[in-house]
């Protein structure tokens, strides 16, 4: 009975996932866009990453303690860029993608224009929806986060990070677009480098920001579809229009 129950639950989850994917394909197939259904990752222990902790200490005027026997890390090593948990992994920039795929099981989708379909938007904060996007010979990390910037008022933050250096990031422009019920909301900006930390980008508000009512306006049965397009550009612009 236990085996049957577990198998039956897995089948129901698969049917639900296929149904969500079918709905998304039906809506966006006319535009010829690839659709990726992204399930949320919810953590009750949302530990801040090391870069966020360091930033908070600096803002409060608290410097990290200095120890004579402190281990000096290689400046070329990059800490784990996954914003879900405080991961102790460090490695060179070229092995960040294998780490995210193998350790954190983050999917990767290829194509110049894709649709990011985030499910279960009703889950309490903090919650993340994450995917990697391979385009124009580079890999990008799209992060959608539901977070309470002010107590009792959750907001949604969406940003695109290049898994590369800030100089490389300046060569691209990304666009996030929501389109539903004869309404359209678009955010266009230069991606930030993954070296700059996702938490700081969200704290600065340099991303697409939606309050709960606005997110519900563009959602469909608890799912939010975000169109993503990446182009090569030297123009630095950032705008939100509706």
């Amino acid at each position: 009975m236990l085996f049957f129950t577990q198998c039956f639950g897995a089948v129901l989850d698969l049917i639900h996932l296929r149904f969500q994917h079918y709905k998304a394909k039906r809506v966006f197939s006319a535009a010829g866009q690839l659709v990726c259904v992204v399930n949320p990752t919810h953590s009750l222990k949302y530990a801040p990453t090391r870069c966020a902790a360091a930033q908070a200490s600096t803002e409060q005027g608290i410097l990290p303690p200095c120890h004579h026997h402190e281990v000096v890390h290689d400046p070329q090593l990059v800490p784990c860029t996954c914003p879900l948990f405080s991961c102790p992994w460090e490695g060179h920039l070229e092995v960040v993608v294998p780490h995210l795929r193998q350790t954190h099981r983050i999917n990767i989708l290829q194509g110049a224009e894709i649709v990011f379909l985030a499910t279960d938007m009703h889950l309490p904060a903090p919650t993340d929806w994450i995917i990697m996007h391979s385009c124009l010979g580079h890999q990008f990390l799209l992060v959608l986060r539901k977070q309470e910037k002010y107590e009792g008022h959750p907001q949604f933050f969406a940003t695109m990070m290049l898994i590369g250096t800030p100089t490389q990031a300046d060569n691209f422009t990304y666009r996030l677009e929501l389109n539903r019920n004869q309404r359209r909301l678009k955010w266009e900006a230069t991606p930030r480098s993954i070296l700059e930390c996702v938490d700081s980008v969200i704290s600065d508000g340099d991303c697409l920001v939606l309050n709960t009512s606005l997110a519900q306006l563009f959602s469909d049965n608890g799912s939010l579809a975000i169109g993503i397009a990446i182009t090569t550009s030297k123009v630095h612009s950032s705008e939100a229009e509706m």
Side-chain angles (χ1 to χ4, degrees):
M1 289 297 295
L2 179 61
F3 176 77
F4 175 78
T5 303
Q6 291 177 342
C7 290
F8 185 69
V11 170
L12 287 180
D13 292 339
L14 180 60
I15 293 175
H16 175 71
L17 182 62
R18 294 292 298 176
F19 177 70
Q20 292 285 349
H21 188 264
Y22 170 76
K23 286 174 54 181
K25 287 185 66 177
R26 185 181 59 185
V27 174
F28 297 100
S29 59
Q33 294 175 303
L34 297 174
V35 178
C36 183
V37 179
V38 184
N39 294 321
T41 300
H42 181 68
S43 173
L44 297 178
K45 298 180 180 179
Y46 199 89
T49 58
R50 283 171 293 175
C51 56
Q55 181 185 15
S57 299
T58 303
E59 292 175 352
Q60 297 174 4
I62 303 175
L63 296 178
C66 178
H67 302 285
H68 294 291
H69 301 288
E70 184 177 0
V71 178
V72 179
H73 293 282
D74 185 345
Q76 295 183 346
L77 293 180
V78 180
C80 178
T81 55
C82 184
L84 298 178
F85 304 101
S86 183
C87 177
W89 179 89
E90 284 185 336
H92 292 277
L93 193 58
E94 58 269 18
V95 294
V96 169
V97 173
H99 169 73
L100 293 176
R101 296 199 67 183
Q102 297 170 11
T103 303
H104 299 290
R105 306 296 182 184
I106 297 179
N107 294 325
I108 186 168
L109 196 64
Q110 297 184 359
E113 295 187 11
I114 65 174
V115 175
F116 178 96
L117 184 65
T119 65
D120 300 324
M121 302 294 294
H122 62 278
L123 289 179
T127 305
D128 283 318
W129 294 260
I130 302 176
I131 193 176
M132 283 191 291
H133 184 189
S134 179
C135 179
L136 301 175
H138 289 77
Q139 283 74 39
F140 300 82
L141 188 70
L142 177 67
V143 178
L144 173 64
R145 175 176 299 176
K146 184 178 183 179
Q147 178 175 309
E148 288 188 357
K149 198 165 186 179
Y150 305 101
E151 186 176 357
H153 298 280
Q155 293 177 299
F156 293 89
F157 304 85
T159 186
M160 181 75 77
M161 311 286 291
L162 172 72
I163 303 179
T165 65
T167 302
Q168 292 174 323
D170 288 340
N171 296 325
F172 298 95
T173 298
Y174 76 94
R175 184 180 73 247
L176 304 179
E177 185 171 334
L178 292 82
N179 193 343
R180 187 172 182 269
N181 292 336
Q182 298 181 343
R183 299 177 178 86
R184 181 167 62 181
L185 178 66
K186 182 173 69 174
W187 167 269
E188 185 173 303
T190 300
R192 301 279 286 272
S193 167
I194 203 70
L195 301 177
E196 299 181 49
C197 185
V198 175
D199 292 337
S200 62
V201 175
I202 292 178
S203 299
D204 295 340
D206 186 17
C207 56
L208 174 64
V209 183
L210 305 172
N211 57 32
T212 304
S213 59
L214 193 58
Q216 290 176 349
L217 191 63
F218 285 96
S219 65
D220 181 17
N221 293 326
S223 297
L224 185 67
I226 303 177
I228 306 170
I230 300 177
T231 57
T232 55
S233 175
K234 289 287 186 180
V235 180
H236 302 277
S237 62
S238 174
E239 65 177 5
E241 63 182 18
M242 187 171 181

